[in-house]
Amino acid sequence: MRSDVKPDRRSRDNARVTITDLSQALSLTKGTVSRALNGYPDISETTRIRVIRAAQAMGYRPLSQAQAIKTGRSCSLGLVIELSEHDAHAPFLAEFLAGLTQAASAEGWTLTIATSESEGDTLRIMRDLILHRKADGFILPRVLWDDPRIAFLDRENAPYICYGRSKNHAETSYFDALSEASMAEAVTWLAQLGHERIAYIGSASHYAYSHLRRDGYRAGLEQEGLVFDPALMIEEVLDPEEAAKATRQVLAMARPPTAILCATDTLARGVYDVAHEMGLKIGSDLSVIGYDGSPEAQAMWPRLATFAVDNRKAGAALGAMLMARVRDLNAPLQQDLIAAEFRPGGSTGRPDKTPEELAHHVIRLSVDRSRND
Amino acid sequence: MRSDVKPDRRSRDNARVTITDLSQALSLTKGTVSRALNGYPDISETTRIRVIRAAQAMGYRPLSQAQAIKTGRSCSLGLVIELSEHDAHAPFLAEFLAGLTQAASAEGWTLTIATSESEGDTLRIMRDLILHRKADGFILPRVLWDDPRIAFLDRENAPYICYGRSKNHAETSYFDALSEASMAEAVTWLAQLGHERIAYIGSASHYAYSHLRRDGYRAGLEQEGLVFDPALMIEEVLDPEEAAKATRQVLAMARPPTAILCATDTLARGVYDVAHEMGLKIGSDLSVIGYDGSPEAQAMWPRLATFAVDNRKAGAALGAMLMARVRDLNAPLQQDLIAAEFRPGGSTGRPDKTPEELAHHVIRLSVDRSRND
DNA sequence: CGCATTGCCGAAACCGGTTTCGGAGTTTCT
DNA sequence: AGAAACTCCGAAACCGGTTTCGGCAATGCG
């Protein structure tokens, strides 16, 4: 009876093939096998091929943890999500993660995720992740115009890739959507429908994209030969409530805008709220365009016209860029841009009133409502 | 000139304190230090305290990668997201991750995330993550009624916690929202407003929660003394489009429902679409209630009444449960339930028509519209 | 008081890899 | 032909931990 050879152990331990298994099968030392696989020059080409063949045949893949303690690299990408603005992350997070993990796992890497409560927290966490080799580098989502993470990681000499273009984007590796072009495109779309007064509701200026989108709006106006009215541009708008306030403000003008362009879909919600509250019909009385292509846009009625960013592709690109950067921190910077796709919706249409008529309409509706109270 | 002692290295290497540093400072061997910290019984209490004190003072924290190669544990939680249904994940993902990572990092653990394209893919990936010690156990989101992941992980003898109650939930550790209670609560809410015919649009029955919510709907009817009409219950509805179809179907009845209860907010979108298309006013002609508390619900007009699940809390609980389970796979099962919070919205109100009147109204509206064409 | 326990720690092997060093065998050059 | 230079691989140290084993000193017991 020799059947009691720990059959329980076998099922799990036998599964992984280690470098020692491989070296024994090849009658080489594990040092040689390691060098062969890692491209050291002091291994003959014939041996190298023999080793690689056997490694594939036996299904050998080094344990990244074991590698990490000597090399310092754990083959994992870091992503720290700042919760204070999680709302801003929610819509695109799933697709984004999909892209990232797809790129990572294609090369046997993994994604390590952490969340933080504040800016300082984020830096602490990133340092900790690097120190404990839970991450070799970082993807920086929602890049700020003047982002402390960039300065920090530069100082720490850690690899990173920005999702977005910061103030100094020329000196960083980044991936970004051409949102300025989208904003200009939106203006063109509205102008061709016949809109002449187009308002812009922009988000907090510490976000890098705010600058770009605002500039895109202005570029679009110029391109279409429309005059820029500073009163129609409201920035530093953080959430739907503030967007609603901004909407009321521009609709109270003597010559209100017949269309409102929003830096994000979330802000557009505020515009819708005011329209519903006032009784304005979106798509005829007032046209609206957002940006992000979020699920929210799908839930609004009429459908919000918006620009859909392929966040999965963005994640995949960022992951690949970061891995390259981890492998060689001195490689030339990588910078890539992608265009967002316009997704029309019922929220835009020909203006059925001039600005002056719209102003009267707004007043009449407000009188009606106060009479009902 | 002794200044060339690699000052660059120091800045990074000095940062981590290893067990060797600690043992030298204490004049002990690293073996002793390790046993002291890991609670071996052959260490005197005085030494143990001395070691723990010094470890804290020097800020020592073991490198989990180094531990992993010997112990097989990497102190990381695994989460595999199935992309084929990423839509279902998107809304609550950010909050959920927040809770998970918060629980994890509180104990120095991390979260490893992967995505998969299919069911078989998921199993492969989980095996791989365990084999390569990227994850010590798994959180299973969106548990299915008969979930292959459970059978698989049982077979692999790997720790896991379910988010949701499967068919055999009595034999698993789980965390879940009491969505059946919420559905009953929704029926009560509607019944007290005066609704007597309440339809139910349910999701795919392979999801564990579908069964619970449907049962909750029926329990609610019974509790309120309302008759159950099978024609008012439509299940296996996957997306807003199908929900729209279901809505048209029930509204075409001779005695249509004056309220529709949806298993998810996303399905409620389909109801809204049909209402808008037909010209029905939500909140008076037709009341709607959803479930999930997603951002979509906030974007609808009037606001969708829904049940908000605290996904952050869920994530935190699941993380803690999984860590406990990894530490001791033989510990008793942990099972916990949480109540979702009802979030009223303008989508419900007293029915201003009887079912018969509503049927006539629907017909009249449809005639009007066809006349306009 | 002597002997068997017990408590407590050091020494060393080990985990699965990487990297340095040195030397045996071949080739090249004079 | 002999020295120098290469090629290529084995041996062994190393990374930062964990775990087994063995032994010394202090204790318990008769």
Side-chain angles (χ1 to χ4, degrees):
Chain A
M1 294 259 283
R2 44 143 78 109
S3 64
D4 53 351
V5 277
K6 303 179 188 171
D8 50 338
R9 270 215 158 191
R10 194 180 296 179
S11 60
R12 303 202 75 188
D13 286 0
N14 270 16
R16 266 210 80 240
V17 22
T18 71
I19 198 169
T20 308
D21 299 337
L22 184 56
S23 66
Q24 281 171 357
L26 286 164
S27 302
L28 291 172
T29 59
K30 54 178 193 167
T32 304
V33 172
S34 173
R35 280 171 315 196
L37 293 174
N38 291 326
Y40 277 65
D42 61 346
I43 300 289
S44 77
E45 212 47 37
T46 55
T47 326
R48 188 189 311 283
I49 292 177
R50 199 162 70 95
V51 171
I52 292 177
R53 283 256 168 73
Q56 279 187 329
M58 298 179 62
Y60 168 73
R61 272 175 45 201
L63 195 66
S64 67
Q65 335 245 355
Q67 298 187 108
I69 76 177
K70 183 77 190 188
T71 64
R73 265 197 225 148
S74 61
C75 294
S76 58
L77 310 179
L79 178 66
V80 181
I81 300 173
E82 209 151 308
L83 287 175
S84 50
E85 41 192 353
H86 67 269
D87 277 32
H89 284 286
F92 73 93
L93 195 56
E95 280 294 328
F96 187 61
L97 290 181
L100 269 178
T101 54
Q102 186 184 309
S105 68
E107 311 205 18
W109 290 45
T110 49
L111 179 65
T112 299
I113 291 211
T115 51
S116 88
E117 304 286 346
S118 68
E119 197 171 282
D121 209 23
T122 302
L123 304 187
R124 261 197 337 89
I125 289 177
M126 290 198 302
R127 169 182 282 130
D128 201 72
L129 286 175
I130 286 208
L131 224 55
H132 285 91
R133 309 205 181 131
K134 299 280 198 171
D136 298 328
F138 295 94
I139 305 287
L140 303 186
R142 293 263 155 185
V143 167
L144 306 184
W145 185 241
D146 189 6
D147 203 310
R149 296 174 295 180
I150 295 179
F152 175 78
L153 291 173
D154 275 340
R155 214 177 319 127
E156 295 277 315
N157 214 25
Y160 63 91
I161 309 280
C162 301
Y163 189 6
R165 281 163 286 169
S166 75
K167 189 173 64 181
N168 307 318
H169 65 265
E171 298 154 26
T172 70
S173 283
Y174 63 79
F175 184 91
D176 199 8
L178 262 170
S179 53
E180 67 274 33
S182 298
M183 288 294 121
E185 191 181 334
V187 171
T188 299
W189 176 271
L190 292 169
Q192 289 186 349
L193 283 172
H195 295 272
E196 290 179 352
R197 282 181 69 73
I198 303 172
Y200 175 79
I201 298 185
S203 43
S205 63
H206 64 269
Y207 287 122
Y209 67 78
S210 293
H211 298 250
L212 297 167
R213 294 185 197 172
R214 182 240 289 140
D215 293 348
Y217 161 68
R218 297 204 50 176
L221 290 181
E222 198 156 342
Q223 192 179 308
E224 294 300 320
L226 297 175
V227 288
F228 166 65
D229 180 349
L232 289 184
M233 185 169 89
I234 303 186
E235 297 193 272
E236 308 293 342
V237 181
L238 302 177
D239 53 37
E241 284 71 34
E242 293 194 15
K245 220 168 64 181
T247 305
R248 285 190 206 96
Q249 182 180 324
V250 292
L251 287 181
M253 293 170 69
R255 298 191 64 227
T258 57
I260 300 183
L261 180 54
C262 297
T264 69
D265 288 348
T266 302
L267 295 182
R269 257 175 48 193
V271 179
Y272 269 57
D273 285 351
V274 170
H276 285 129
E277 171 190 306
M278 289 189 169
L280 288 177
K281 288 187 67 174
I282 287 191
S284 49
D285 290 337
L286 186 65
S287 287
V288 186
I289 294 185
Y291 185 97
D292 273 344
S294 67
E296 294 171 288
Q298 301 290 322
M300 301 190 198
W301 185 273
R303 288 282 180 277
L304 177 65
T306 182
F307 291 86
V309 180
D310 189 341
N311 278 297
R312 167 129 32 152
K313 186 184 283 181
L318 285 160
M321 290 166 91
L322 181 54
M323 286 189 288
R325 196 137 195 82
V326 168
R327 292 203 179 95
D328 182 8
L329 192 53
N330 298 317
L333 296 178
Q334 294 172 282
Q335 309 179 327
D336 205 358
L337 292 166
I338 193 179
E341 185 194 354
F342 183 57
R343 204 188 273 164
S347 69
T348 64
R350 304 197 164 278
D352 64 357
K353 299 183 179 58
T354 65
E356 289 77 8
E357 289 167 358
L358 180 57
H360 290 154
H361 189 55
V362 165
I363 292 173
R364 191 170 334 119
L365 287 172
S366 113
V367 171
D368 287 356
R369 273 186 304 119
S370 61
R371 195 173 297 160
N372 287 345
D373 286 347
Chain B
M1 296 259 282
R2 46 145 78 106
S3 62
D4 53 351
V5 277
K6 304 181 188 168
D8 49 339
R9 272 214 155 193
R10 193 177 298 178
S11 62
R12 303 201 76 187
D13 287 358
N14 270 17
R16 266 210 80 242
V17 22
T18 71
I19 198 170
T20 308
D21 300 337
L22 185 56
S23 66
Q24 281 172 356
L26 287 164
S27 302
L28 293 171
T29 60
K30 52 179 197 167
T32 304
V33 171
S34 173
R35 280 173 311 190
L37 293 174
N38 292 326
Y40 277 64
D42 62 345
I43 299 289
S44 76
E45 212 46 40
T46 54
T47 324
R48 188 190 309 283
I49 292 178
R50 202 163 69 94
V51 170
I52 293 178
R53 285 255 168 73
Q56 279 186 327
M58 298 177 63
Y60 169 71
R61 271 176 46 204
L63 194 65
S64 67
Q65 334 246 355
Q67 300 186 106
I69 77 176
K70 182 76 188 181
T71 66
R73 269 199 223 144
S74 62
C75 293
S76 57
L77 310 178
L79 178 67
V80 181
I81 300 172
E82 209 150 306
L83 287 176
S84 51
E85 42 193 351
H86 67 272
D87 277 38
H89 283 286
F92 73 94
L93 193 58
E95 281 294 329
F96 186 62
L97 290 181
L100 268 178
T101 54
Q102 185 184 312
S105 68
E107 311 205 18
W109 290 46
T110 49
L111 180 66
T112 298
I113 291 211
T115 51
S116 88
E117 305 286 347
S118 69
E119 199 172 279
D121 208 24
T122 302
L123 303 188
R124 262 198 336 91
I125 290 178
M126 291 198 301
R127 168 182 282 133
D128 201 72
L129 287 176
I130 286 206
L131 223 56
H132 284 90
R133 312 213 175 124
K134 299 281 198 172
D136 298 327
F138 294 94
I139 304 286
L140 304 186
R142 293 264 154 182
V143 167
L144 305 184
W145 185 241
D146 189 6
D147 203 310
R149 295 174 295 179
I150 295 179
F152 176 78
L153 292 173
D154 276 339
R155 213 177 322 126
E156 294 276 315
N157 212 26
Y160 63 91
I161 308 280
C162 301
Y163 188 7
R165 281 163 287 168
S166 75
K167 190 174 61 179
N168 306 319
H169 64 266
E171 298 155 26
T172 69
S173 284
Y174 63 79
F175 184 92
D176 199 7
L178 263 170
S179 53
E180 66 274 34
S182 298
M183 288 293 121
E185 191 182 334
V187 172
T188 299
W189 176 272
L190 293 168
Q192 290 188 346
L193 283 173
H195 294 272
E196 290 179 351
R197 283 184 66 73
I198 302 172
Y200 175 78
I201 298 185
S203 41
S205 64
H206 64 270
Y207 288 122
Y209 67 78
S210 294
H211 298 249
L212 297 167
R213 293 185 196 173
R214 182 240 291 138
D215 293 348
Y217 161 67
R218 297 203 52 176
L221 289 181
E222 197 155 342
Q223 193 178 307
E224 294 300 319
L226 297 175
V227 290
F228 167 64
D229 181 349
L232 289 184
M233 184 168 89
I234 303 186
E235 298 192 273
E236 309 293 341
V237 181
L238 302 177
D239 53 37
E241 285 69 34
E242 293 195 16
K245 221 168 63 183
T247 305
R248 286 191 205 97
Q249 182 179 323
V250 292
L251 286 181
M253 293 171 71
R255 297 189 65 227
T258 57
I260 299 183
L261 180 55
C262 296
T264 69
D265 289 348
T266 303
L267 295 182
R269 258 175 47 193
V271 179
Y272 269 57
D273 284 352
V274 171
H276 285 129
E277 172 190 307
M278 291 189 166
L280 289 177
K281 286 185 69 176
I282 287 189
S284 48
D285 290 338
L286 186 65
S287 287
V288 185
I289 295 185
Y291 185 96
D292 272 344
S294 67
E296 293 172 289
Q298 301 290 322
M300 301 189 196
W301 186 272
R303 287 283 180 277
L304 178 64
T306 182
F307 290 86
V309 180
D310 189 340
N311 277 298
R312 166 124 43 148
K313 187 184 282 181
L318 285 161
M321 290 166 92
L322 181 55
M323 287 188 287
R325 194 136 196 82
V326 168
R327 292 203 180 91
D328 182 8
L329 191 54
N330 299 317
L333 296 179
Q334 295 172 282
Q335 308 180 326
D336 205 357
L337 292 166
I338 192 180
E341 184 194 356
F342 183 57
R343 204 189 273 164
S347 69
T348 64
R350 304 194 164 282
D352 64 356
K353 299 183 179 58
T354 64
E356 289 78 8
E357 290 168 357
L358 180 57
H360 290 153
H361 188 56
V362 165
I363 292 173
R364 191 171 331 121
L365 288 172
S366 113
V367 170
D368 286 357
R369 273 185 305 120
S370 62
R371 193 172 299 159
N372 285 344
D373 287 347

